[in-house]
Every structure is written in C-alpha cells, then in structure tokens.
C-alpha cells in the first residue's frame, strides 16, 4: 500500500464534518486466469484494518469471472451497429457507443429491453431529459466497459461486462479478510458511480457513493483497482 493519492486526486476528503481517507491499492494487471481471492489476499489483506472498508472495482471482479471479451471475438450484428450510433460518447468512458459494447448489451439485457430503452430515450431526450436509456436498460447495461485510450492493455482491446452476483462477492471477500472490514464492489468513474454489491446497508452505500464521487482510483493507467476507505 503506497498511502499516496493518484495524480489529480485527494487522499483525504471531508464529508458531513468527518475527514475520510481514500487509499488506492496498486496491483499488477489482473488477468482472466487470476483468482480474485488471491489478488485480494496479496494486495489487500495486510493493508486493511478493523473498521476499514475495502472497495473493489467491478472490472477486476468481472475479469476474474471470465467476463472480458476481446473485440476480435465479438460478432457484431447490424442492430448493434445501428443503435451504437445514437449513444452519446463522453471522455469518461465509451459506454455503449461502439458496436461491440452495444452487441454485448443486447446479449446481456435482451434485445426487447434494449430496444424499449432506446425508444423511450429517443422520446424523452427530445424534451431535454437524459438518462432514461440506462434507467430502463438497467445495471447490466450501465456496467459494461469498453476500451478507451487510457485503458491498460490488454483491456484497451476488450469489452468487460458487469460482474455476476456482486453482493455475494462482497460477502465472500469480507469473510476472506477475516471480518471487521466492510467490502463493496463499485462501478465508479470521474463523474460518479454506483455500488453494485456490498456488506453495507442502503445508507452506508449512499454515503460511500459520496465519498468516491470523484473516483480516487483514477480513470486510466494507475493500476489501482482496489482502495480503502478509512476515517482520517
């Protein structure tokens, strides 16, 4: 554990009058044949203390579950090419704005749901309302990661789906760490995030979203897919 913040990020924030640290944990690049338990044991088990919260990016959970796919292995249908043209792309992630990520959304969520979400979003967007596509398509669509210029190889040429059973994963990792530590599987970027599964209650999850709102893990080559939240 370095105990230092990623570039452009603050190690410590103040929330509701309380000072909180967000400590990034640097790891090797996690590969599909890695064991998540081994990664957590190697990089987090000796770093956490009782009362800490370990947050784990959904990406490394999904990768170790075999849910990453090279672009060259994804057969894109014409519908995916068509729908991806209408997705707004941002600097924080390509989302479903490329044919390969849209194709995986069609497979994950089902074609009827994605078509319904796209139809509703097309109507509400005309009235200045945004976000309806992902509200209807759901967390599985929102959690799909496509490659960006800052993505660490080999995932700069891959699509990574959201993790399976993230709440169960969080509970399992809590047991692995020996108790006394909460765990959350998070989907965060530089404009916000979601808690996909955790050992916290709903109020705790909402608070964690606020603590991680600026993504202390970074968005590019930092290689910090884990972090610790600790009272300062």
């Amino acid at each position: 554990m370095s105990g230092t913040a990623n570039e452009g990020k603050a190690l410590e924030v103040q929330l509701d009058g309380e000072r909180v640290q967000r400590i990034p944990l640097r790891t090797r690049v996690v590969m599909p044949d890695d064991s998540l338990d081994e990664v957590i044991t190697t990089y987090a088990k000796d770093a956490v203390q009782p009362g800490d919260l370990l947050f784990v990016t959904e990406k490394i959970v999904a990768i170790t579950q075999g849910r990453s796919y090279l672009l060259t292995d994804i057969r894109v249908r014409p519908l995916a090419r068509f729908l991806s043209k209408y997705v707004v792309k941002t600097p924080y992630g390509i989302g479903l704005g490329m044919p390969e990520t849209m194709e995986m959304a069609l497979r994950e969520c089902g074609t009827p749901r994605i078509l319904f979400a796209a139809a509703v979003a097309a109507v509400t967007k005309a009235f200045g309302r945004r976000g309806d596509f992902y509200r209807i398509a759901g967390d599985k669509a929102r959690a799909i990661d496509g490659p960006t210029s800052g993505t660490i190889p080999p995932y700069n040429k891959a699509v990574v789906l959201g993790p399976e059973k993230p709440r169960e994963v969080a509970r399992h990792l809590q047991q692995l760490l020996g108790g006394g530590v909460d765990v959350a599987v998070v989907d965060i970027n530089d404009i916000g995030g979601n808690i996909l599964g955790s050992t916290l209650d709903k109020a705790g999850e909402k608070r964690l979203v606020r603590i991680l709102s600026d993504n202390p893990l970074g968005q590019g080559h930092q290689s910090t897919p884990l972090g610790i939240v600790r009272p300062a």
Side-chain angles (χ1 to χ4, degrees), residues 12-20 207 210 232:
E12 186 176 300
V13 294
Q14 189 142 340
L15 185 72
D16 301 330
E18 179 186 359
R19 290 161 50 226
V20 181
R207 182 174 182 273
R210 294 172 62 199

Side-chain angles (χ1 to χ4, degrees), residues 61-179:
V61 177
I63 287 169
T64 57
Q65 291 176 338
R67 290 172 63 77
S68 63
Y69 299 84
L70 293 175
L71 297 177
T72 52
D73 293 336
I74 301 172
R75 185 178 65 83
V76 177
R77 291 168 288 180
L79 178 61
R81 295 188 188 279
F82 172 77
L83 292 174
S84 66
K85 295 177 183 178
Y86 297 94
V87 176
V88 176
K89 302 171 183 65
T90 77
Y92 305 106
I94 199 163
L96 304 185
M98 64 184 295
E100 289 84 358
T101 52
M102 182 61 77
E103 173 63 35
M104 297 311 293
L106 290 167
R107 299 183 194 180
E108 275 284 279
C109 308
T111 299
R113 185 166 191 159
I114 294 297
L115 286 175
F116 180 60
V120 171
V123 173
T124 57
K125 188 176 179 181
F127 292 95
R129 176 169 159 161
R130 297 184 179 274
D132 283 318
F133 177 86
Y134 286 106
R135 274 191 284 272
I136 295 170
D139 287 341
K140 284 186 175 182
R142 188 182 290 110
I144 294 173
D145 265 348
T148 64
S149 59
T151 305
I152 294 176
Y155 304 108
N156 59 338
K157 296 181 180 179
V159 175
V160 181
L161 305 181
E164 292 185 323
K165 300 181 178 179
R167 190 167 300 278
E168 287 87 341
V169 170
R171 290 171 181 160
H172 169 73
L173 294 181
Q174 184 184 48
Q175 293 178 348
L176 180 69
L177 294 171

Side-chain angles (χ1 to χ4, degrees), residues 9-81:
K9 306 294 179 180
L11 182 66
E12 186 176 300
V13 294
Q14 189 142 340
L15 185 72
D16 301 330
E18 179 186 359
R19 290 161 50 226
V20 181
Q21 289 185 325
R22 302 97 45 87
I23 305 167
L25 300 180
R26 194 169 303 279
T27 73
R28 68 176 185 272
V29 177
V30 177
M31 302 298 287
D33 58 352
D34 280 328
S35 158
L36 181 62
D37 284 12
E38 191 271 334
V39 172
I40 298 301
T41 299
T42 300
Y43 295 102
K45 192 162 188 177
D46 290 338
V48 295
Q49 302 172 4
D52 283 350
L53 179 140
L54 177 73
F55 59 104
V56 182
T57 58
E58 92 292 351
K59 195 162 188 172
I60 67 161
V61 177
I63 287 169
T64 57
Q65 291 176 338
R67 290 172 63 77
S68 63
Y69 299 84
L70 293 175
L71 297 177
T72 52
D73 293 336
I74 301 172
R75 185 178 65 83
V76 177
R77 291 168 288 180
L79 178 61
R81 295 188 188 279

Side-chain angles (χ1 to χ4, degrees), residues 193-226:
N194 300 288
I195 310 303
L196 301 185
S198 81
T199 58
L200 300 168
D201 58 19
K202 289 297 181 183
E205 289 187 349
K206 288 180 180 179
R207 182 174 182 273
L208 182 59
V209 168
R210 294 172 62 199
I211 291 171
L212 304 181
S213 62
D214 65 335
N215 187 11
L217 296 182
Q219 194 68 12
H221 286 265
Q222 291 86 353
S223 194
T224 51
L226 310 172

